[in-house]
Amino acid sequence: ALREQKKLDEAEKQAKAAVQAGPADPSAHMALAGVLKDRHKDKDAAREYQQVLKLKPDHPDAKVIQEQIKYLNEKVDPRIP
């Protein structure tokens, strides 16, 4: 389990570096969102998914991304509609 955790730590570090290097790149935010979701950082993951849609509203996976945002926000706070 610790080895898996280290891989996720490294993946998050690399994804954050990619976002810093290309803040206008939706794929960088998408990668970071996926890692954050895997790490159960739901609020942060939802924020990154929202950034993907902000940068590319016509993203091919926009509907799935919107569903992920809704799911993650409900997981964080069930009172959010």
Side-chain angles (χ1 to χ4, degrees):
L2 183 59
R3 191 162 52 196
E4 266 183 43
Q5 183 62 41
K6 279 194 163 210
K7 286 182 182 176
L8 284 175
D9 287 346
E10 184 59 29
E12 182 176 350
K13 187 177 172 184
Q14 289 179 5
K16 284 182 174 178
V19 167
Q20 281 187 332
D25 180 3
S27 62
H29 290 278
M30 190 78 160
L32 180 54
V35 173
L36 293 170
K37 183 179 163 213
D38 288 348
R39 299 197 71 189
H40 306 287
K41 295 182 176 182
D42 300 327
K43 199 177 220 176
D44 294 333
R47 189 172 50 247
E48 289 302 319
Y49 281 128
Q50 288 169 334
Q51 189 63 23
V52 171
L53 294 180
K54 184 178 176 186
L55 292 168
K56 189 168 174 72
D58 61 342
H59 192 285
D61 295 324
K63 189 161 182 68
V64 173
I65 293 168
Q66 288 169 339
E67 290 170 5
Q68 281 293 330
I69 293 166
K70 185 175 184 216
Y71 169 75
L72 291 166
N73 281 331
E74 286 173 353
K75 243 177 109 177
V76 172
D77 185 349
R79 296 168 294 177
I80 296 174

